[in-house]
Amino acid sequence: AISAAGKPVILNSAGTVSPISETSVSRSVPEGSAATILPDVYAQNGAKMIDCAFDVSSNKVVAVFQNPRNSGYLNYIVGDVTAAGAITFGTVTTLVSVNVQGRPSIAADPSNSGTFVISYSAGGSDARVAIGTVSGTTLTLGTGVQWVNANETGHVAFDATSSTFVVVYRWASGSPGNSLYANAGTYSGTTITLGARTQIFSTPVEEASGGARKLCFDPNTSGKFAVAYRDNASPYEGHALCCTVSGTTITAGTAQDFFSTQSNVPDIAFDSQNADTLSIIFQDVVGSNYAAVIPATLSGTVFTFGSKAVVVSSAVEAFRLMAIPTVAGAFEALYALTVSYYETLSTVGFTV
């Protein structure tokens, strides 16, 4: 709902309304033991361009990455997660025997246990998406389907209810160049049916240097996803865009500014309990590179944005944002910052 002042509000059980706001909280997040998946004393020989996904139904986590120790090939590793949060990893294994150029992306199908979609570079001018299935700690990849004849980075996500996935990417050869495109796909077994390329934003955008996911499906509304990204021209404002999917057809809403100044490495997540409610986290460059969050609600595909709230008062570099699965309005962000030339990872919780 929207108040007379044009601000988003929440309807309370007593029939009153309250404004949407953010509160930084000190959330208790137990830290498990670290597990090294690719040991090396030289940083330049470690795993690069890594992404991972967790399959809730099978309690497995899968990481995909470029492995410089293995000719830059696309490698993977599967881990079994215990109830206490410990992870037992299998063996680092080659998934695709090519030197991958763009950052791979992986997402788990919440409707099909042990099934993942992976986007990856299959060579200098061949970007593909494929279905992978996990048995034990082995990932078997189906035949990749090309979504663009170029070296581009695609970010993938699954619809929570339909086993439909979307890959979103910046396409250098688009019209105009570096504008934003998306393809929707369905699958049977490991055979993919990929829909037509759809331009969803017709202005050049900046690829997130931190490899942020940048898109997320609403788990409460079938076929609706949102994308967060940064403009490629001054003042480098942050945009958000809501799209819908029917079959493999994507319909894009109108892009809106979620922040009017430079908004780096944005990530986005929907509330796990409340439909059409989401948060966007980003590096606020004008605001000392601090981590800032903006809440939003959707009416159809139109956003109403709340006020910015700082959740980390330090210069941050990259994010992964997720909604707490069982708590309405609660989010957790993993973020990176540099301290004395070393990059550290931390978490912050907040409520909306």
Side-chain angles (χ1 to χ4, degrees):
I2 305 299
S3 70
K7 301 293 185 180
V9 294
I10 294 174
L11 179 64
N12 302 315
S13 58
T16 58
V17 295
S18 301
I20 295 177
S21 61
E22 309 84 26
T23 303
S24 180
V25 299
S26 178
R27 191 176 296 280
S28 177
V29 182
E31 182 178 349
S33 300
T36 301
I37 64 175
L38 191 66
D40 201 301
V41 294
Y42 299 108
Q44 65 268 30
N45 290 330
K48 294 184 177 180
M49 299 192 296
I50 190 169
D51 197 16
C52 62
F54 178 60
D55 180 21
V56 176
S57 58
S58 65
N59 281 327
K60 292 184 183 292
V61 60
V62 179
V64 290
F65 54 94
Q66 182 206 53
N67 186 353
R69 298 178 62 187
N70 183 24
S71 304
Y73 289 172
L74 181 63
N75 280 201
Y76 78 89
I77 192 168
V78 178
D80 288 302
V81 184
T82 69
I87 304 176
T88 301
F89 282 106
T91 304
V92 172
T93 306
T94 298
L95 187 62
V96 181
S97 298
V98 296
N99 187 339
V100 294
Q101 302 298 311
R103 181 183 298 271
S105 180
I106 184 171
D109 184 353
S111 302
N112 196 356
S113 179
T115 303
F116 298 79
V117 62
I118 302 163
S119 71
Y120 60 95
S121 165
S125 60
D126 187 6
R128 292 178 174 266
V129 64
I131 297 297
T133 54
V134 172
S135 177
T137 57
T138 300
L139 175 64
T140 301
L141 195 66
T143 301
V145 175
Q146 186 182 79
W147 46 266
V148 69
N149 183 21
N151 176 28
E152 301 289 1
T153 296
H155 303 269
V156 293
F158 263 110
D159 187 358
T161 59
S162 68
S163 290
T164 297
F165 65 87
V166 167
V167 54
V168 170
Y169 52 96
R170 184 186 68 167
W171 189 25
S173 297
S175 180
N178 294 323
S179 50
L180 202 61
Y181 289 80
N183 292 73
T186 58
Y187 70 94
S188 175
T190 59
T191 300
I192 288 175
T193 299
L194 204 60
R197 178 182 297 120
T198 302
Q199 186 178 55
I200 60 175
F201 186 66
S202 59
T203 300
V205 301
E206 175 70 15
E207 176 64 25
S209 59
R213 182 178 61 232
K214 300 200 307 181
L215 79 153
C216 183
F217 273 89
D218 186 345
N220 306 287
T221 306
S222 181
K224 178 179 282 190
F225 70 93
V227 186
Y229 50 97
R230 200 203 81 181
D231 201 78
N232 200 35
S234 181
Y236 307 108
E237 64 267 35
H239 300 297
L241 177 67
C242 182
C243 303
T244 56
V245 180
S246 177
T248 58
T249 300
I250 296 173
T251 302
T254 301
Q256 298 172 242
D257 289 359
F258 67 80
F259 201 58
S260 60
T261 60
Q262 189 165 348
S263 314
N264 285 355
V265 291
D267 202 2
I268 190 167
F270 276 94
D271 189 330
S272 64
Q273 303 293 309
N274 296 312
D276 292 327
T277 304
L278 54 111
S279 289
I280 302 171
I281 194 168
F282 61 99
Q283 180 196 59
D284 182 2
V285 176
V286 174
S288 303
N289 293 324
Y290 289 174
V293 168
I294 288 182
T297 56
L298 277 165
S299 176
T301 59
V302 178
F303 294 94
T304 298
F305 298 110
S307 300
K308 180 190 80 172
V310 173
V311 292
V312 180
S313 298
S314 301
V316 295
E317 296 182 356
F319 304 100
R320 288 290 189 273
L321 181 63
M322 58 185 172
I324 303 300
T326 57
V327 183
F331 296 83
E332 198 78 35
L334 175 71
Y335 62 94
L337 51 84
T338 299
V339 179
S340 300
Y341 303 102
Y342 293 95
E343 190 172 82
T344 63
L345 294 176
S346 303
T347 62
V348 63
F350 61 92
T351 56
V352 174

